[in-house]
């Protein structure tokens, strides 16, 4: 079984994958997502990256980035210091969040 699945409703990432990146028990991940303590962003690959998605999770000054393919296989996984980007629509002309 893949650690990532997707449907028309979006992606589902195994709580063990997310929890391990942020040193959290997997059982705590759903509540932290619901509370907004873990946030995420999904980006769709284009051109050479078509058929791939970049899923980034943010929590407590860290980020987990997964690149996945159509079958849900994790092609790359990295964790690094980062803060969640500002919420809101993106202004494509400036590539920054509108507030």
């Amino acid at each position: 079984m893949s650690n990532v699945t997707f449907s028309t409703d979006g992606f589902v990432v195994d709580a063990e994958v997310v929890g391990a990146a942020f040193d959290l028990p997997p059982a705590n991940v759903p509540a932290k997502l619901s509370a907004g303590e873990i946030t995420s962003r999904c980006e769709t690959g284009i051109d050479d990256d078509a058929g791939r998605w970049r899923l980034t999770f943010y929590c407590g000054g860290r980020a987990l980035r997964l690149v996945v393919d159509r079958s849900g296989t994790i092609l790359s996984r990295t964790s690094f210091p980062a803060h969640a980007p500002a919420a809101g629509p993106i202004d494509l002309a400036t590539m920054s969040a509108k507030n």
Side-chain angles (χ1 to χ4, degrees):
M1 180 177 141
S2 173
N3 291 326
V4 179
T5 57
F6 66 98
S7 68
T8 56
D9 295 327
F11 289 89
V12 177
V13 179
D14 191 306
E16 288 188 23
V17 172
V18 177
F22 300 121
D23 198 26
L24 297 170
N28 292 4
V29 171
K32 290 198 174 283
L33 283 163
S34 294
E37 294 174 34
I38 297 175
T39 59
S40 63
R41 171 174 277 182
C42 175
E43 299 167 278
T44 302
I46 57 171
D47 297 330
D48 290 344
D49 292 316
R52 296 180 186 177
W53 290 264
R54 184 165 57 194
L55 311 176
T56 309
F57 295 85
Y58 301 91
C59 180
R62 299 228 19 105
L64 164 65
R65 179 164 292 151
L66 305 173
V67 175
V68 301
D69 67 11
R70 292 173 203 236
S71 68
T73 300
I74 297 173
L75 303 173
S76 69
R77 175 187 329 223
T78 186
S79 184
F80 51 92
H83 291 284
I90 302 294
D91 180 349
L92 294 178
T94 63
M95 294 301 289
S96 62
K98 290 181 182 178
N99 291 327

